[in-house]
Amino acid sequence: MATSNSYTSPDAVCDLIMKGGITSGVIYPKLIGKLAEHYRLKNIGGTSAGAIAAAGAAAAEFRRHTQHTDAGFIQLKKLPEILGETVIVEGGKRSRLLSLFQPTSRLRPHFTVLLNALNVKLPGLAALETVFQMARHFPLVLVFGLALGTLLLWSIFFGLTAGNPAGAYYGALAVMGGWIITTLGIRYGFRGKTKNNKMLLRTLILWFLLGIAWTAIVTGLVSTLTIPVLVFSLEVGSLTLVTLLTSFVVLVAILVFFTRSMVSGLVENGFGFCSGLNAVGSTDPDALTNWLTGYFNELAGLEPTDSPLTFGDLWRGSRIQSAAIPAAKDRVINFEAMTSAVSRKMPYRIPFIRDEKEYYFDPDEWGRLFPKEVIALLKVRGASKGAYDPTTPSRSLYPLPEADQWPIVIAVRMSLSFPLLLSAVPLYAVDSTLEAVNTVRKYNKENKDQQPLPLPVSKVWFSDGGISSNMPLHFFDTFLPQHPTFAINLKEKHPDATDDNPDSPPKPGFEKWRVFLATGNDQGLQRHWQSPTETGMAGLFNFLKTVIETMQNWRDEIQFPYPGYRDRIVQISQSENEGGLNLNMSEEIIQALGNAGENAAQRLIDRFIEGKGWDNHRKIRLRNFLAQLDLELDDLDANQSVTWQTFLTQTATLSPYKMTLNEKKLAEETLKSLVDMAAELRKADQDTPSVTLTGHAPRPFSEIRITPRF
């Protein structure tokens, strides 16, 4: 594929799909910037963090188209460095990436507790760290429980001190204080040093022995009675047991309090810790949605005071509102994202291709999710008089505008509603299966001379697109593509991967194991799976985890090894502490992931621009398509043709779905062509049985299916 290497106006065109992965999105900026040196990005899509990257790429491409400059892509490539910078948040230091996720004030302690636990990879140690953080952030229950425990210890010491209340008090206080000091000492002394379960068990045994030793010392010092060794041991055991039982009760109480307050806060905040906007009264750097709204405008070369970049701007390749919106296939830049209507149990692509005029939003609810300049663009059609929420009749509902008027940040936020981390997005729609809806419709139909009654609507929660399709490769696929559609998959590091590399030491992100792209038709046929080794409770949790991952990723996993797919899907591996829910990654890790994206882009360029990858890919797609036709037309014969032709002649111009005479003629010609094609294939098979379009086609075969478009 000979192309111009002009960064501002490359000859080659490509589509790009990026997989979701929360913080793994830092992989994409350098990848996009590198690809843009050789390709003009036409169709760009993704899910979750991939949707952020896709929108950023679309904005930079908009700037290149309108201002003939590569400045947007150059700016985008610097994003990993920007996200790795240290900023001051809540009086402390965090990476800018982590600062984008700002929980509500009510959920801030819970978020901090869970965030600290996520940074601990050893499950047992993570559980202990969670307990410690809960006690730290919810001290009132802890203090009350410790006071109760001290009282119980005092009752035991009261007998050992011959009824001396002061001595008993000091003894109880010393024991409780000693266990607390021992716990803190073990926690801080061994923090970061416990690497496996054996070390963790030894640490817990050491903690227990130190606690007993301290209890024995205090008992010996405080006791005023001379008692036998056996009795002394029993007393020490009793004090230890009371201390441990008190600690257990306190921790259970803290857990109950923590969980109840967290659940209540999550429900109140749309099932997420973070709304995406800055918390009320916050002076911290911009939160995720605030930042994205401004950042997309910057990449697009717009002024900070300009209204947010919209789908219509991308489609037209211009901000001239009077310009016509082109047909879908003629859009200058096409950006799409995936979201999940969890209330309706179905996936949606954004912009919506169905039902978009039937959805309503509440500006007050959305005002807690999107900046005011975004809400202003959505209220163009005014408040609806035809719909109301029966659960909250005072709620003002606005119909969503046409898709071209949507700011692209809405698509990103609806795709990036990772469950529990970010609030889900509420919309409202008319459920036509409800009797109440049909009753109102019937009344309005029978009383056309009166003011129509509004229809009751039901809430629909939209959550993360990765729930239903984490890498929507189907967005832009065609039978015979005119340009490649690249896809980026994110996966775990292979267990056999080593860090050997021609470079010494290897540049972070360019390790040998980091990126894979099939360079031959015999590569990428097999997929690694993790063999289950855990038993007991760990085995059960791992099994349930794989069940969820199967429901989420089965479509992607089927595509990866298929011909026509595996040669254009570049696989980027991440180690355990990279991407995903690792919100607090170091600057070095963020840089490594950013470099990995650049590495992946270079592999695609080497294969499809410098090599013969595009010609090979076209040959595979053509052979696939012809083989599919051969398979699908095999059961279409002349007898069926007569039946269908007769049926078409009799019903084409009748309701429902009636055709015009010209449409009927075209339909008859098309049907005849299909039957003739099937007959030709069958004749060839009969004359020379060894000659078929499937004989030497790439395997495994794919299939043409009629399936709902979403």
Side-chain angles (χ1 to χ4, degrees):
M1 179 186 284
T3 65
S4 164
N5 193 26
S6 171
Y7 201 167
T8 55
S9 56
D11 291 339
V13 177
C14 77
D15 301 335
L16 184 60
I17 295 288
M18 287 166 282
K19 186 176 183 178
I22 314 179
T23 62
S24 300
V26 298
I27 285 173
Y28 296 129
K30 289 186 177 181
L31 183 151
I32 293 166
K34 190 68 177 177
L35 276 182
E37 295 178 13
H38 297 267
Y39 287 101
R40 179 173 68 84
L41 307 179
K42 179 172 176 55
N43 298 298
I44 317 160
T47 298
S48 196
I52 295 180
E61 190 65 68
F62 178 83
R63 187 173 187 175
R64 177 159 67 178
H65 178 79
T66 56
Q67 300 180 12
H68 309 291
T69 174
D70 55 11
F73 290 109
I74 292 174
Q75 185 177 357
L76 185 61
K77 287 198 291 186
K78 297 177 181 177
L79 185 56
E81 287 84 355
I82 295 173
L83 294 178
E85 293 174 353
T86 300
V87 296
I88 304 299
V89 180
E90 300 175 13
K93 294 182 178 180
R94 289 183 176 178
S95 68
R96 187 177 298 277
L97 174 63
L98 179 56
S99 76
L100 296 176
F101 299 93
Q102 298 180 20
T104 63
S105 56
R106 182 177 177 183
L107 291 170
R108 187 173 292 126
H110 309 78
F111 184 76
T112 304
V113 168
L114 297 178
L115 182 64
N116 286 326
L118 285 173
N119 292 330
V120 182
K121 297 304 178 185
L122 192 63
L125 192 58
L128 293 175
E129 182 65 20
T130 301
V131 169
F132 181 86
Q133 293 293 340
M134 283 193 299
R136 176 186 172 191
H137 286 279
F138 295 88
L140 292 180
V141 180
L142 176 65
V143 170
F144 178 79
L146 293 179
L148 180 62
T150 303
L151 180 63
L152 294 175
L153 293 174
W154 177 87
S155 66
I156 298 175
F157 274 116
F158 190 74
L160 292 173
T161 58
N164 180 2
Y169 171 74
Y170 290 124
L173 204 60
V175 168
M176 188 63 71
W179 278 90
I180 292 174
I181 292 172
T182 300
T183 301
L184 293 174
I186 289 290
R187 191 260 179 177
Y188 286 107
F190 288 82
R191 190 177 189 182
K193 300 177 183 177
T194 306
K195 302 297 184 183
N196 54 53
N197 288 325
K198 288 184 178 180
M199 295 177 66
L200 177 60
L201 180 60
R202 287 198 294 266
T203 303
L204 291 175
I205 292 173
L206 176 61
W207 166 79
F208 183 67
L209 293 177
L210 287 174
I212 291 178
W214 175 253
T215 303
I217 292 171
V218 172
T219 302
L221 292 174
V222 174
S223 178
T224 59
L225 301 177
T226 302
I227 54 177
V229 174
L230 179 60
V231 176
F232 178 82
S233 300
L234 290 174
E235 293 292 346
V236 171
S238 298
L239 291 167
T240 302
L241 183 60
V242 168
T243 303
L244 294 178
L245 286 176
T246 300
S247 301
F248 177 75
V249 172
V250 168
L251 293 178
V252 170
I254 289 175
L255 178 60
V256 170
F257 183 84
F258 174 88
T259 303
R260 290 187 63 181
S261 58
M262 182 178 70
V263 170
S264 175
L266 286 171
V267 172
E268 182 183 277
N269 197 47
F271 311 105
F273 284 100
C274 312
S275 70
L277 292 188
N278 288 67
V280 177
S282 171
T283 57
D284 292 332
D286 279 345
L288 182 67
T289 314
N290 303 87
W291 176 76
L292 286 174
T293 304
Y295 187 64
F296 293 150
N297 271 22
E298 288 181 29
L299 292 177
L302 305 179
E303 296 296 328
T305 54
D306 288 341
S307 60
L309 186 68
T310 67
F311 281 100
D313 297 335
L314 298 178
W315 297 346
R316 289 185 296 259
S318 167
R319 297 215 93 189
I320 300 175
Q321 301 300 308
S322 58
I325 299 295
K329 65 183 180 65
D330 297 323
R331 292 170 181 171
V332 176
I333 304 162
N334 185 44
F335 159 56
E336 297 184 21
M338 181 65 71
T339 187
S340 302
V342 292
S343 301
R344 302 185 70 171
K345 304 177 184 64
M346 61 193 299
Y348 268 73
R349 68 200 294 171
I350 309 174
F352 293 163
I353 61 171
R354 63 169 186 270
D355 295 345
E356 63 266 31
K357 294 181 180 178
E358 297 181 10
Y359 274 107
Y360 304 84
F361 72 98
D362 176 357
D364 292 335
E365 284 184 329
W366 275 39
R368 295 189 286 271
L369 302 174
F370 297 100
K372 58 184 179 181
E373 57 268 30
V374 171
I375 302 298
L377 285 180
L378 296 175
K379 297 173 70 174
V380 293
R381 294 170 65 183
S384 173
K385 296 181 179 180
Y388 79 102
D389 178 9
T391 65
T392 312
S394 60
R395 188 189 304 279
S396 294
L397 295 174
Y398 286 68
L400 286 173
E402 297 294 335
D404 63 282
Q405 299 178 64
W406 286 33
I408 63 172
V409 72
I410 290 179
V412 171
R413 180 61 182 80
M414 290 181 70
S415 184
L416 185 69
S417 299
F418 189 81
L420 300 187
L421 177 60
L422 286 162
S423 305
V425 178
L427 283 171
Y428 296 84
V430 175
D431 182 352
S432 296
T433 67
L434 295 177
E435 183 178 349
V437 171
N438 291 317
T439 299
V440 173
R441 282 180 171 159
K442 181 179 179 182
Y443 175 86
N444 289 340
K445 186 177 181 179
E446 294 174 349
N447 298 272
K448 294 182 179 180
D449 56 333
Q450 298 183 24
Q451 180 71 25
L453 296 178
L455 292 170
V457 295
S458 304
K459 180 175 283 189
V460 180
W461 285 109
F462 284 82
S463 192
D464 193 82
I467 296 171
S468 50
S469 181
N470 212 23
M471 195 180 73
L473 189 57
H474 58 279
F475 270 179
F476 311 127
D477 262 0
T478 60
F479 286 136
L480 298 175
Q482 300 302 305
H483 53 261
T485 295
F486 299 131
I488 316 301
N489 183 50
L490 309 176
K491 67 186 190 73
E492 296 176 351
K493 183 179 179 180
H494 195 280
D496 294 337
T498 60
D499 290 329
D500 59 318
N501 197 284
D503 298 330
S504 184
K507 181 180 178 182
F510 286 82
E511 300 89 350
K512 186 176 180 180
W513 56 267
R514 182 68 78 170
V515 174
F516 171 78
L517 176 67
T519 56
N521 295 332
D522 58 341
Q523 296 182 353
L525 289 164
Q526 302 297 326
R527 296 283 295 163
H528 165 71
W529 69 92
Q530 186 174 359
S531 178
T533 57
E534 297 88 348
T535 58
M537 187 62 71
L540 175 61
F541 281 126
N542 183 65
F543 176 76
L544 295 176
K545 175 174 174 283
T546 56
V547 168
I548 294 172
E549 290 175 344
T550 301
M551 291 188 294
Q552 180 188 32
N553 298 313
W554 67 269
R555 181 192 296 269
D556 301 340
E557 291 296 329
I558 287 175
Q559 291 177 150
F560 292 143
Y562 257 72
Y565 290 85
R566 61 178 180 262
D567 63 325
R568 59 185 169 120
I569 302 176
V570 63
Q571 312 277 350
I572 302 179
S573 297
Q574 303 170 101
S575 58
E576 191 177 20
N577 63 336
E578 297 175 338
L581 278 171
N582 290 288
L583 300 177
N584 202 17
M585 292 187 295
S586 66
E587 184 175 358
E588 292 74 19
I589 290 177
I590 292 175
Q591 288 294 325
L593 290 178
N595 291 340
E598 183 179 0
N599 182 3
Q602 189 61 56
R603 298 287 187 93
L604 289 169
I605 292 166
D606 291 343
R607 176 70 174 151
F608 281 81
I609 294 288
E610 307 300 337
K612 297 182 178 180
W614 174 231
D615 286 341
N616 182 71
H617 181 73
R618 286 201 297 171
K619 186 172 185 178
I620 291 172
R621 296 296 292 273
L622 178 59
R623 292 301 310 274
N624 266 344
F625 178 58
L626 294 174
Q628 288 169 4
L629 286 178
D630 195 342
L631 290 170
E632 296 298 328
L633 293 175
D634 185 58
D635 62 350
L636 187 61
D637 56 34
N639 292 331
Q640 288 181 331
S641 172
V642 172
T643 301
W644 283 106
Q645 289 279 9
T646 301
F647 181 76
L648 180 63
T649 301
Q650 293 173 346
T651 64
T653 57
L654 303 177
S655 295
Y657 313 118
K658 64 181 180 180
M659 297 179 177
T660 65
L661 292 177
N662 287 335
E663 289 171 342
K664 175 175 175 286
K665 180 181 178 182
L666 178 60
E668 291 172 340
E669 293 172 351
T670 302
L671 183 56
K672 182 178 184 304
S673 297
L674 286 173
V675 174
D676 290 345
M677 190 187 308
E680 192 68 31
L681 289 169
R682 202 161 27 253
K683 180 176 182 299
D685 187 41
Q686 292 169 354
D687 294 343
T688 50
S690 61
V691 179
T692 68
L693 294 178
T694 60
H696 297 90
R699 283 172 168 77
F701 288 136
S702 51
E703 62 181 13
I704 300 174
R705 293 188 305 149
I706 297 176
T707 181
R709 189 165 181 255
F710 58 87

